[in-house]
């Protein structure tokens, strides 16, 4: 089999790249190790930057997003005695949208089916070959046990942190930077209407808490816990008590709505950046090249930014014979990656209890600076609502 671009990984990054390339007449084949049902069911980020929303709408996959997403003007930052609204629209004229990654994936899968673009789900033994030659190819075994070889002009690695793409880079070129945080999140999905009109990020002496939402009837919550903590140690009553304590520690009569909890999981907190994001005919995008802690809501949005840059580069190279954007892809993408990594680190270290009381006082001083300084609040809004792609 021959194609122009082999895309390894059929999550949101791979699906979006295939869709954008297809709109410009560039052929692609998707290879995914999981089943379509598994890909569609993965629960991930739910906050879309203004730029991500614009990309999806311009690509023709934003109809349901436009109808169902919850638009948010900003967020609440909370610490004892304070709940401060950071209004992004007032500060920078942009908002964010709550629309789950699961829903983005469904929209992109539906677009792929309409366009009848080839995809192999349940692939195993995926190997990349000749990435530093003019004739790279990928070999794998499909879900029925049949071996395949696909030749291409370019391979795009959108296969996440544990996929084979990054490992295909020469070991002498690979560099990685990692920060493992001394805490994790207990993520909770509950069948209750949100108790807030905007997301709440709460600093508390017992640990961080967050109130998010998925719809008008489904709420999402997070609690700071120890790394590797067993969700079974958190029965529903303990979860609601901790959330009420950490989210209710401010002046006012706010009440937390409780109800049935349908899902519990523990999420590790990690920052990871790999370089380069391009070698020869291999390009990395999304989690294959970088991971951020979820505090700043950057993960899916960073992947979309990578894909937009990569799409532009590949169209210019494969259709117009102009390799300049492809040659600069890694450096261009990494500028934004590092800025978003810094913002995610800043939000994470400001809001989670760690260290001693000295560290706590520094965190409270940072939060108070956002409350009292328009410049500090604007900086937060610009980063949270999304930097320009290519910035």
């Amino acid at each position: 089999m021959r194609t122009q671009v082999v895309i390894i990984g059929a999550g949101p990054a791979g699906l979006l790249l295939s869709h954008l390339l297809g709109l410009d007449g560039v052929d692609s084949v998707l290879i995914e190790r999981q089943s379509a049902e598994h890909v569609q069911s993965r629960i991930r980020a739910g906050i879309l930057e203004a730029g991500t929303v614009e990309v999806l709408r311009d690509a023709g996959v934003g109809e349901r997003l436009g109808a169902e997403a919850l638009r948010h003007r900003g967020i609440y930052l909370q610490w004892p005695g304070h709940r401060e609204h950071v209004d992004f629209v007032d500060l920078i004229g942009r908002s964010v949208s709550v629309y789950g990654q699961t829903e983005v994936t469904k929209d992109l899968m539906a677009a792929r089916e309409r366009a009848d673009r080839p995809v192999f789900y349940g692939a195993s033994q995926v190997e990349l070959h000749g990435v530093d030659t003019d004739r790279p190819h990928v070999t794998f075994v499909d879900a029925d046990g049949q071996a395949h070889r696909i030749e291409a002009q370019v391979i795009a690695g959108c296969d996440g942190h544990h996929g084979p793409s990054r490992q295909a880079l020469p070991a002498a070129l690979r560099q990685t930077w990692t920060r493992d945080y001394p805490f994790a999140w207990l993520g909770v999905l509950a069948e209750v209407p949100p108790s807030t009109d905007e997301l709440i990020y709460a600093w508390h002496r017992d640990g961080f808490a967050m109130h998010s939402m998925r719809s008008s009837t489904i709420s999402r919550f997070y609690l700071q816990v120890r790394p590797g903590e067993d969700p079974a140690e958190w029965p529903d009553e303990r979860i609601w008590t901790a959330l009420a304590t950490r989210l209710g520690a401010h002046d006012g009569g706010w009440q937390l709505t409780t109800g049935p909890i349908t899902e519990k999981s523990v999420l590790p907190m990690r920052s990871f950046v790999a370089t380069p994001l391009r070698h020869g005919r291999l390009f990395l995008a999304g989690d294959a090249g970088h991971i951020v802690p979820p505090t700043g809501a950057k993960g899916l949005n960073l992947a979309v930014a990578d894909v937009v840059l990569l799409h532009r580069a590949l169209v210019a190279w494969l259709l117009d014979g102009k390799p300049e954007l492809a040659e600069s892809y890694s450096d261009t993408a990494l500028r934004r990656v590092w800025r978003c990594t810094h913002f995610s680190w800043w939000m994470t270290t400001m809001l989670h209890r760690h260290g001693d009381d000295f560290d706590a006082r520094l965190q409270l001083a940072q939060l108070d600076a956002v409350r009292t300084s328009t410049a500090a609040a604007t900086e937060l809004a610009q980063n949270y609502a999304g930097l320009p792609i290519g910035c």
Side-chain angles (χ1 to χ4, degrees):
M1 186 181 295
R2 293 176 182 270
T3 190
Q4 288 174 287
V5 181
V6 172
I7 302 171
I8 303 177
L15 287 166
L16 179 59
L17 179 59
S18 177
H19 181 74
L20 293 176
L21 290 172
L23 293 177
D24 282 311
V26 177
D27 293 331
S28 63
V29 174
L30 284 156
I31 302 171
E32 168 60 49
R33 69 184 181 89
Q34 301 289 357
S35 67
E37 293 75 19
H38 180 88
V39 172
Q40 188 168 290
S41 66
R42 285 188 292 217
I43 303 296
R44 293 290 190 273
I47 307 298
L48 302 184
E49 298 173 357
T52 297
V53 172
E54 183 178 356
V55 167
L56 295 172
R57 286 177 176 167
D58 289 348
V61 290
E63 182 177 353
R64 202 161 63 92
L65 165 63
E68 300 179 13
L70 304 176
R71 181 174 177 266
H72 285 260
R73 292 181 62 95
I75 60 172
Y76 291 109
L77 289 180
Q78 178 177 303
W79 61 102
H82 298 275
R83 180 178 288 176
E84 302 294 333
H85 188 230
V86 183
D87 193 310
F88 301 160
V89 176
D90 283 351
L91 289 164
I92 60 170
R94 299 199 305 277
S95 62
V96 296
S97 297
V98 176
Y99 191 71
Q101 178 173 312
T102 302
E103 306 309 312
V104 174
T105 302
K106 290 177 182 177
D107 295 340
L108 290 168
M109 291 178 85
R112 184 204 61 78
E113 291 173 4
R114 290 192 298 270
D116 195 27
R117 297 188 185 96
V119 57
F120 291 89
Y121 287 106
S124 61
Q125 302 178 43
V126 179
E127 295 184 11
L128 291 71
H129 308 270
V131 298
D132 52 0
T133 72
D134 292 338
R135 297 285 298 274
H137 65 278
V138 176
T139 58
F140 65 97
V141 176
D142 67 21
D144 295 324
Q146 183 175 350
H148 294 265
R149 171 185 169 125
I150 303 180
E151 297 182 354
Q153 293 174 273
V154 166
I155 300 174
C158 303
D159 47 346
H161 186 67
H162 299 291
S165 295
R166 189 175 67 253
Q167 302 308 315
L169 293 170
L173 294 180
R174 293 199 302 262
Q175 286 187 285
T176 60
W177 289 265
T178 303
R179 171 64 51 86
D180 291 306
Y181 296 89
F183 38 76
W185 276 7
L186 173 66
V188 175
L189 200 65
E191 293 181 350
V192 295
S195 305
T196 176
D197 59 332
E198 305 270 38
L199 278 70
I200 303 173
Y201 287 79
W203 183 99
H204 190 272
R205 62 180 60 87
D206 293 343
F208 169 79
M210 180 178 175
H211 186 338
S212 182
M213 61 283 291
R214 286 292 177 266
S215 70
S216 60
T217 59
I218 304 293
S219 295
R220 186 78 164 156
F221 301 94
Y222 299 98
L223 286 165
Q224 179 182 341
V225 297
R226 300 185 310 271
E229 189 142 355
D230 185 355
E233 297 179 6
W234 286 83
D236 291 7
E237 183 178 355
R238 183 185 179 191
I239 290 172
W240 289 122
T241 298
L243 286 169
T245 298
R246 300 185 194 184
L247 293 170
H250 71 102
D251 295 335
W254 181 82
Q255 295 291 322
L256 175 67
T257 302
T258 63
I261 291 176
T262 58
E263 180 186 302
K264 305 173 189 176
S265 60
V266 172
L267 294 73
M269 306 288 280
R270 191 184 197 200
S271 294
F272 173 87
V273 179
T275 63
L277 298 181
R278 182 256 175 137
H279 173 70
R281 299 272 174 155
L282 171 62
F283 297 79
L284 304 182
D287 287 0
H290 43 78
I291 295 174
V292 291
T295 322
K298 296 295 105 181
L300 176 59
N301 295 292
L302 261 181
V304 169
D306 287 352
V307 165
V308 170
L309 291 174
L310 184 52
H311 159 248
R312 294 172 184 168
L314 294 182
V315 168
W317 191 18
L318 300 180
L319 296 187
D320 302 329
K322 299 177 179 179
E324 292 82 9
L325 292 178
E327 291 169 351
S328 63
Y329 165 74
S330 183
D331 290 340
T332 303
L334 283 167
R335 281 198 298 271
R336 193 177 199 275
V337 166
W338 276 115
R339 288 188 64 178
C340 292
T341 298
H342 174 265
F343 176 68
S344 298
W345 166 85
W346 179 77
M347 286 281 285
T348 300
T349 54
M350 177 174 66
L351 289 163
H352 291 77
R353 284 288 281 131
H354 61 94
D356 54 22
D357 288 341
F358 183 84
D359 295 290
R361 297 307 305 180
L362 293 176
Q363 292 173 316
L364 293 172
Q366 284 185 308
L367 287 163
D368 197 56
V370 176
R371 179 182 71 86
T372 58
S373 168
T374 301
T378 300
E379 179 75 7
L380 188 156
Q382 287 174 333
N383 283 275
Y384 197 104
L387 300 169
I389 292 175
C391 180

